[in-house]
Amino acid sequence: MGVVAGLSASLGNQGMILQVLGDRNGVMVCLKEQERICREFGNVEGLAYSLWGQMTIFEYQGRRTEASHTIEEALSLATKGDYTPLKAEIREMKEQFWL
């Protein structure tokens, strides 16, 4: 795992810990930083996971339009690359939230 992928995974893991602790604002801070890093360094898989996580926060906050756009971008990224399991997970999440 490269440095960027490791940093991306670390931010995602920190976000999961904050989610368990109920700190959704903290989760979003981690996910937005993960998104920024992944976009800057071209980590498509990490970016898709970040967007997926952001979608869940947007949905919880009732921000359905943002949730829909975010999950669509994540699905598009997973579809363009060779990320078949990720694509399936995102599609399942999309169907769960009716987006």
Side-chain angles (χ1 to χ4, degrees), residues 6 9 15 22 25-27 30 32-33 35-36 42 51-52 56 58 64 74-75 77 80 82-83 91 96:
N25 291 329
V27 174
C30 287
K32 285 294 193 178
E33 181 63 9
E35 176 187 358
R36 184 192 68 75
L51 294 170
W52 176 9
T56 62
F58 288 142
R64 292 190 58 81
L75 184 57
L77 289 166
K80 288 178 186 172
D82 186 23
Y83 307 106
R91 277 195 176 133
Q96 178 184 344

Side-chain angles (χ1 to χ4, degrees), residues 12 27-35 49-50 53-54 57:
V27 174
M28 191 57 90
V29 168
C30 287
L31 292 173
K32 285 294 193 178
E33 181 63 9
Q34 181 184 30
E35 176 187 358
Y49 275 113
S50 174
Q54 290 177 50
I57 300 298

Side-chain angles (χ1 to χ4, degrees), residues 5 8 10 13 38 43 47 58 79 82 86 95:
S8 173
S10 175
N13 290 336
C38 289
N43 181 340
L47 177 57
F58 288 142
T79 300
D82 186 23
L86 175 60
E95 289 171 9

Side-chain angles (χ1 to χ4, degrees), residues 10-80:
S10 175
L11 286 164
N13 290 336
Q14 290 174 54
M16 283 191 253
I17 291 167
L18 292 169
Q19 178 75 16
V20 169
L21 296 174
D23 182 0
R24 287 190 170 75
N25 291 329
V27 174
M28 191 57 90
V29 168
C30 287
L31 292 173
K32 285 294 193 178
E33 181 63 9
Q34 181 184 30
E35 176 187 358
R36 184 192 68 75
I37 289 168
C38 289
R39 284 190 192 279
E40 184 175 335
F41 292 99
N43 181 340
V44 174
E45 186 175 19
L47 177 57
Y49 275 113
S50 174
L51 294 170
W52 176 9
Q54 290 177 50
M55 183 280 302
T56 62
I57 300 298
F58 288 142
E59 180 64 25
Y60 175 81
Q61 295 172 336
R63 297 163 64 184
R64 292 190 58 81
T65 300
E66 290 168 281
S68 181
H69 291 298
T70 304
I71 199 70
E72 286 299 333
E73 183 179 359
L75 184 57
S76 176
L77 289 166
T79 300
K80 288 178 186 172

